[in-house]
Amino acid sequence: MLPEANAIFTIRDDEAFNAQALAVFRFQAAHIAIYRRYITYLGRNVSDVHHYTEIPFLPIEFFKTQSVIAEGQKPQITFTSSGTTGSVTSKHLVADPSIYEQSYNQAFQLFYGDPSEMAILALLPSYQEREGSSLIYMVNDLISQSRVPESGYFLSDHQALFQTLTTLKDRGIKTMLFGVTYALLDFIDAYPIDFPDLIVMETGGMKGRRRELIRTELHDLLRAGFGVPHVHSEYGMTELLSQAYAKQDGLFQTPPWMKVLMRDTNDPLTLLQNRQTGAINIIDLANTHSCAFIATQDLGKLHSDGRFEILGRFDHSDIRGCNLLVQ
């Protein structure tokens, strides 16, 4: 039976999270064909799983090669990842976009407050230039909720963005700027500004436009260019319907219906304990109709307070059962 989606947004503690995770797992193990096959290849018995740490995580690569959606469901919208020419992109088949909307709206309210009461600006040229971006879907909605008329996209019009930021600063309006990394750097190269109260939301991505920078170097540049004490970051991906946010120092925090675990890079079916560095597994219970349990290709470190940081990525990870099912 399909779990009640709204129930995940009432989670307040680990016990409630575990109960909802198990309910979602049992449904998906029975009704998502590729996940059911993967569990079978691993030799796992669904009835033996009693805690979310025991749930098998589906390699994220399957979103590139398989239809990850519950049987009997039809996608109302399809989110796609960006990719280089000739590369295979991920596809997230979303059966119920209202769950995504509730997830990002509730998380945004939790971390930043009511979007209607702030200016929402976006400098996301590479995302706007393609279809199927889950980030653009979210930012579109947040902009539409804002009651500040200056809210909107700027594409590559840096002069207009500078003028808008200056106006909002002078008027003392709470402002958030979503920006892809290279576009933010391009902007401050031409129009450095001193706006200490601005929330700069860096969404990642050089897209081959600039050399890659380590986080501390990047954030130092952005802090200086915008005159802000901290740079915020969003951690999301095509395959997820929830986001984690870092308000400073690249330390991300998840909403209550999302959890990050670390797995051993040498034994990908083993979870790490005691805040070790490893590969990131994500439980996103908003993925009700796709797969909520994903083994990503990101490397990270989990801290004692539950926050996590991203250390990098690895490619061509060999997770047992993956190659068999791709073939």
Side-chain angles (χ1 to χ4, degrees), residues 73 162 274 277 292 310:
Q73 298 289 331
F162 178 78
N274 301 322
T277 298
I310 303 298

Side-chain angles (χ1 to χ4, degrees), residues 72-175:
Q73 298 289 331
K74 293 184 178 180
Q76 300 303 307
I77 189 169
T78 299
F79 292 133
T80 57
S81 63
S82 58
T84 57
T85 302
S87 66
V88 180
T89 58
S90 289
K91 293 183 178 181
H92 192 171
L93 308 178
V94 181
D96 187 353
S98 71
I99 298 175
Y100 179 45
E101 293 163 7
Q102 186 170 358
S103 177
Y104 66 66
N105 274 303
Q106 193 160 319
F108 192 89
Q109 289 263 3
L110 177 65
F111 289 105
Y112 293 103
D114 188 345
S116 71
E117 298 176 353
M118 66 178 75
I120 307 289
L121 312 180
L123 190 60
L124 302 166
S126 55
Y127 290 93
Q128 282 185 271
E129 292 161 1
R130 67 178 184 85
E131 295 183 355
S133 166
S134 57
L135 176 63
I136 293 294
Y137 188 101
M138 177 183 76
V139 173
N140 280 344
D141 190 19
L142 294 175
I143 288 173
S144 73
Q145 294 179 54
S146 172
R147 294 197 296 263
V148 180
E150 286 83 0
S151 293
Y153 290 93
F154 290 85
L155 201 55
S156 298
D157 193 345
H158 292 171
Q159 183 178 6
L161 175 58
F162 178 78
Q163 292 170 343
T164 299
L165 288 171
T166 300
T167 298
L168 293 168
K169 175 190 173 184
D170 291 343
R171 289 165 53 194
I173 294 176
K174 184 176 181 180
T175 304

Side-chain angles (χ1 to χ4, degrees), residues 82-83 126-127 130 180 182 204-210 212:
S82 58
S126 55
Y127 290 93
R130 67 178 184 85
V180 65
Y182 77 84
M206 288 299 190
K207 308 297 182 186
R209 311 290 180 97
R210 284 174 171 256
E212 294 293 334

Side-chain angles (χ1 to χ4, degrees), residues 283-319:
I283 301 177
D284 180 9
L285 298 181
N287 279 18
T288 305
H289 299 92
S290 54
C291 188
F293 313 97
I294 299 175
T296 79
Q297 291 182 322
D298 290 333
L299 296 170
K301 181 178 180 180
L302 191 62
H303 292 256
S304 59
D305 59 3
R307 293 185 297 174
F308 67 98
E309 57 183 306
I310 303 298
L311 302 178
R313 289 175 60 83
F314 63 96
D315 297 316
H316 309 300
S317 55
D318 182 17
I319 300 178

